[in-house]
Amino acid sequence: MVERRSIATLLQLPPSEDRLFGPNPSVSLNATYYEGQRSAYGRHTNPTWEAFEALIGELEGGTAVAFGSGAAATFALLLALGPRALVVADSYMGTRQLARWLGARIPGIELVEPSDLDAHLDRLAPGSVVLIETPSNPLLVTYPIATLAKRIHERGGLLAVDSTLATPVLQRPLTLGADVVVHSASKFLSGHSDVLGGVLVASDEDLVARVGEVRELTGAIIGPVEAYLCFRGLRTLAVRVERASATATTLAMRLRDRLGDTVRYPGFDSELVGPGRQQSAGGALVALELESAQQADAMLDGLSLFHHATSLGGVESLAERRGRYPGEDRIGEGLVRLSVGLEDVEDLWGDLDRALTRAGL
Ligand SMILES: *Cc1c(COP(=O)(O)O)cnc(C)c1O
């Protein structure tokens, strides 16, 4: 676990290419480069992506490859590091849909229930990649990275961790034994709900080259402006995540006092979450397993600071009934996911308190 202070400081360093010029990388809008430069064409690389990649790579402890979205990064991971890949089904809906879609075309890409993971790991084929998400979206379950990495390595496999919900401020999977980290940069990394992006980080250069090849061949690239926004978002990542996580911890505890076990929060997992553990704090997401869609909708209608919208990890607080999507097939209809932003904690609590009262909760 990197010291808080060192992450916050690291985030403010100018990219090495631009150190003499100013604190920020330039937005390089070039489809082609003059002969003799280190890139020939805009699908191969771009100096603005490289600034984002250098910073997120340093945070995670590996080499980063940026993509046009988290989904594009996951696609590259499953294709490049497969063709044998197990995707744990307790994951982002789009990741499950992608795994099913790819699995129907490429035998060997499989979606597995977490309850069956043990049995699958016992007979894992060498060279397989296993993708987990911790904490998972939207159930917020935490999975033990170091234990899983050890078991998977014993069978000659690779562990990939979608760490979107934790961010490198709270959790650094490569230091715990994972081989690859994947992020939707559309969430906390950029942090302002204004851009789509994704990134993969690995310390093994061969893995990095394999995923980079998929990006170049498929053109799943991030635009230079988007890469700049991701880079700029990283400047404030530490303060945003620390504040949002502290606020969410307070809200989750008050919600649990009121609603009991219907409240899910990674911070309640004292084995894996806490100072010095796998994940240093609970993070900014809280889930409420309300009884029905009607009850959840009544609560959402009563909110005014939390906006009813999808996505997460922005500066503004959002609430969403995830069960409204037919593809969200592993959760109850009444599950509400809260993404806590940077508003004042008492204002947010007041909003939740009024909405719960209105919904008769
Ligand atoms: C949003 C999300 C993704 C997909 O990322 P996009 O940038 O929307 O393509 C993947 N994993 C998790 C955990 C997510 O929350």
Side-chain angles (χ1 to χ4, degrees):
M1 197 76 43
V2 161
E3 291 285 325
R4 276 178 169 198
R5 195 163 25 137
S6 66
I7 278 202
T9 306
L10 181 68
L11 288 172
Q12 310 318 324
L13 297 177
S16 53
E17 293 283 315
D18 298 84
R19 237 158 233 176
L20 296 176
F21 176 62
N24 295 310
S26 48
V27 177
S28 176
L29 297 169
N30 286 294
T32 187
Y33 297 92
Y34 295 141
E35 189 55 34
Q37 298 301 310
R38 68 202 148 85
S39 175
Y41 188 52
R43 182 156 41 77
H44 304 166
T45 189
N46 170 289
T48 319
W49 309 346
E50 288 172 9
F52 169 54
E53 289 170 341
L55 192 51
I56 184 67
E58 209 164 336
L59 288 179
E60 290 288 11
T63 304
V65 183
F67 287 85
S69 67
T74 309
F75 178 83
L77 168 83
L78 296 177
L79 272 188
L81 306 189
R84 275 193 292 269
L86 297 182
V87 177
V88 176
D90 182 8
S91 56
Y92 171 63
M93 177 178 71
T95 299
R96 283 201 308 282
Q97 290 168 332
L98 176 64
R100 277 197 206 102
W101 188 89
L102 278 171
R105 287 157 179 81
I106 303 167
I109 297 185
E110 238 184 297
L111 201 58
V112 301
E113 279 302 314
S115 52
D116 299 336
L117 183 61
D118 236 25
H120 278 281
L121 294 188
D122 282 340
R123 51 186 154 80
L124 190 72
S128 303
V129 60
V130 180
L131 173 62
I132 64 162
E133 199 173 291
T134 183
S136 62
N137 179 7
L139 284 172
L140 308 182
V141 176
T142 41
Y143 293 90
I145 295 172
T147 311
L148 287 169
K150 189 160 171 287
R151 277 195 71 187
I152 291 165
H153 291 158
E154 278 164 10
R155 311 281 318 183
L158 297 170
L159 174 65
V161 175
D162 185 328
S163 194
T164 298
L165 267 51
T167 84
V169 178
L170 304 181
Q171 163 178 295
R172 298 176 72 219
L174 298 182
T175 67
L176 301 166
D179 302 282
V180 188
V181 182
V182 57
H183 284 282
S184 166
S186 324
K187 315 294 171 52
F188 293 99
L189 300 188
S190 61
H192 294 72
S193 310
D194 54 2
V195 61
L196 288 181
V199 68
L200 283 175
V201 192
S203 43
D204 180 313
E205 290 303 324
D206 174 55
L207 297 185
V208 173
R210 280 153 71 189
V211 296
E213 193 179 18
V214 176
R215 176 178 70 182
E216 184 167 323
L217 293 174
T218 60
I221 58 170
I222 187 167
V225 175
E226 286 76 5
Y228 181 81
L229 288 171
C230 290
F231 175 91
R232 177 169 155 145
L234 286 180
R235 296 292 203 196
T236 53
L237 181 71
V239 282
R240 283 187 288 107
V241 171
E242 281 164 15
R243 169 62 77 89
S245 176
T247 304
T249 301
T250 302
L251 297 178
M253 290 192 305
R254 291 187 193 174
L255 285 165
R256 187 170 59 173
D257 285 345
R258 180 148 170 177
L259 301 171
D261 286 346
T262 55
V263 184
R264 306 182 73 106
Y265 185 56
F268 298 158
D269 175 351
S270 56
E271 207 175 305
L272 293 177
V273 184
R277 316 245 162 85
Q278 166 175 306
Q279 183 182 323
S280 62
L285 295 198
V286 183
L288 310 178
E289 288 187 300
L290 301 181
E291 255 168 36
S292 62
Q294 289 74 7
Q295 202 174 54
D297 286 338
M299 184 211 160
L300 289 167
D301 279 349
L303 291 168
S304 57
L305 286 179
F306 280 87
H307 289 280
H308 192 190
T310 197
S311 202
L312 56 97
V315 294
E316 66 290 311
S317 293
L318 300 177
E320 183 181 32
R321 185 169 74 77
R322 288 298 294 178
R324 64 188 172 138
Y325 300 108
E328 198 68 280
D329 48 12
R330 298 184 73 264
I331 60 168
E333 291 241 293
L335 186 137
V336 172
R337 185 184 68 196
L338 304 175
S339 174
V340 175
L342 301 183
E343 302 88 342
D344 178 79
V345 60
E346 296 306 331
D347 289 340
L348 290 177
W349 175 246
D351 198 37
L352 289 171
D353 182 42
R354 271 187 304 277
L356 289 169
T357 303
R358 230 186 86 143
L361 286 159

